[in-house]
């Protein structure tokens, strides 16, 4: 019998973690504004203890540490050892005392009585989301706050649809995964997100749609096309259907052409749709 989230743990340690580390700067740049929304909603204060779930390479943990200051504490939790190693390097370079822990937030014994829990795209991969969020609720002090962002479905995310449509003639498009399967779009249904949090014992649940433009790659179509073939749905498709790389050149060409149609001041820009989610632990819960 395997433990919960074994598949995700293997994915983020063996394949995706190293890719994210290699592309950390450009990936953080693409989604920095998304994390700013969730951090703003959490509104961390000096001296508070904050848990950053799915902290990855540490971008949001470092910003949270700046907000809580030296009198506060930030604990970043992730299943990916390569990404946590990068996070520790960044924290040391900035002189920020963030504690990074390799653990599955769904089942791990987390620090108790934290003031807030934050996540930027780190909570959609739980094998059992109600159980996971119940575990997170238990980590909060009564009245403590939760804030995270997660992706809406593909129709709200041209940054996914445009590249996939561009390479569709080259490949056999797979059927969509089950809507409750762990993964990038597991929380596409905002009503489901709200129900999960309610079932996990949270109160004051808000699930707010947001739309943000994303400048892709290093600000040019060529680098954005290469990045799409390293990370995300298009990259997964190539790994599955083109393991020898025979079609990679054609895929890059198709992606560059599609992205050229969405240039703003010379850089490819596409829209993204997210849910900005917040909740609290009841005072008596």
């Amino acid at each position: 019998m395997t433990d919960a989230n074994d598949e995700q743990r293997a994915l983020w340690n063996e394949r995706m973690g190293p890719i994210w580390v290699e592309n950390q700067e450009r990936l953080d740049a693409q989604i920095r504004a998304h994390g700013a929304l969730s951090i703003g909603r959490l509104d961390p204060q000096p001296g508070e203890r904050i848990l950053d779930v799915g902290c990855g390479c540490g971008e949001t943990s470092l910003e949270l540490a700046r907000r809580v200051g030296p009198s506060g504490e930030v604990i970043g939790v992730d299943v990916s050892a390569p990404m946590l190693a990068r996070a520790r390097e960044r924290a040391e370079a900035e002189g920020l005392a963030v504690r990074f822990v390799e653990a599955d937030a769904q089942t791990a014994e987390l620090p108790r009585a934290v003031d807030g829990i934050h996540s930027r795209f780190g909570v959609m991969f739980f094998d059992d989301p109600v159980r996971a969020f119940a575990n997170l609720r238990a980590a909060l002090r009564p009245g403590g706050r939760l804030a995270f962002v997660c992706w809406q479905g593909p129709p709200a995310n041209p940054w996914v649809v445009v590249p996939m449509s561009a390479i569709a003639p080259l490949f056999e498009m797979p059927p969509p995964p089950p809507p409750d399967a762990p993964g990038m779009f597991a929380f596409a249904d905002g009503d489901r997100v709200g129900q999960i949090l309610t079932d996990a014992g949270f109160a004051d649940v808000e699930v707010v749609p947001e739309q943000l433009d994303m400048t892709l790659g290093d600000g040019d179509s060529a680098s954005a096309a290469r990045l799409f073939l390293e990370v995300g749905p298009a990259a997964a498709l190539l790994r599955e259907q083109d393991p020898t790389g025979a079609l990679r050149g054609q895929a890059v060409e198709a992606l560059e052409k599609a992205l050229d149609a969405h240039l703003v001041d010379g850089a490819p820009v596409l829209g993204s749709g997210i849910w900005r989610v917040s909740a609290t632990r009841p005072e008596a819960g």
Side-chain angles (χ1 to χ4, degrees), residues 113-183:
V114 300
D115 297 290
I117 294 177
H118 173 267
S119 183
R120 182 188 72 180
F121 303 127
V123 294
M124 304 95 67
F125 305 96
F126 294 131
D127 178 73
D128 185 341
V130 173
R131 177 187 181 189
F133 278 103
N135 196 40
L136 294 177
R137 178 185 56 77
L140 282 169
R141 62 168 174 79
R145 313 172 318 274
L146 168 74
F148 65 87
V149 288
C150 56
W151 297 111
Q152 295 182 40
N157 282 284
W159 76 274
V160 172
V161 174
V162 168
M164 291 298 284
S165 298
I167 64 173
L170 300 173
F171 301 99
E172 180 181 346
M173 290 294 104
D180 58 350

Side-chain angles (χ1 to χ4, degrees), residues 35 148 163 181 191 196 214 230 243:
F148 65 87
D191 290 337
I196 287 169
M214 292 173 61
E230 294 292 335

Side-chain angles (χ1 to χ4, degrees), residues 45-48 68-73:
Q45 298 297 307
E48 288 192 321
V68 303
S71 62
E73 182 183 18

Side-chain angles (χ1 to χ4, degrees), residues 193-284:
V193 175
Q195 190 62 56
I196 287 169
L197 293 179
T198 299
D199 291 346
F202 282 94
D204 307 316
V205 177
E206 292 185 355
V207 183
V208 179
E210 302 276 6
Q211 281 284 329
L212 295 87
D213 285 338
M214 292 173 61
T215 300
L216 306 169
D218 291 326
D220 62 273
S221 296
S223 68
R226 291 193 297 271
L227 186 59
F228 274 121
L229 298 184
E230 294 292 335
V231 182
L237 192 63
L238 259 71
R239 285 194 297 270
E240 293 168 5
Q241 298 191 24
D242 187 33
T244 66
L247 296 175
R248 185 179 181 86
Q250 294 180 58
V252 169
E253 183 179 353
L255 281 169
E256 287 190 39
K257 182 177 180 180
L259 292 170
D260 280 343
H262 298 275
L263 298 180
V264 177
D265 296 329
V269 176
L270 289 169
S272 66
I274 63 171
W275 300 115
R276 177 176 55 78
V277 184
S278 59
T280 60
R281 175 174 176 170
E283 291 287 352

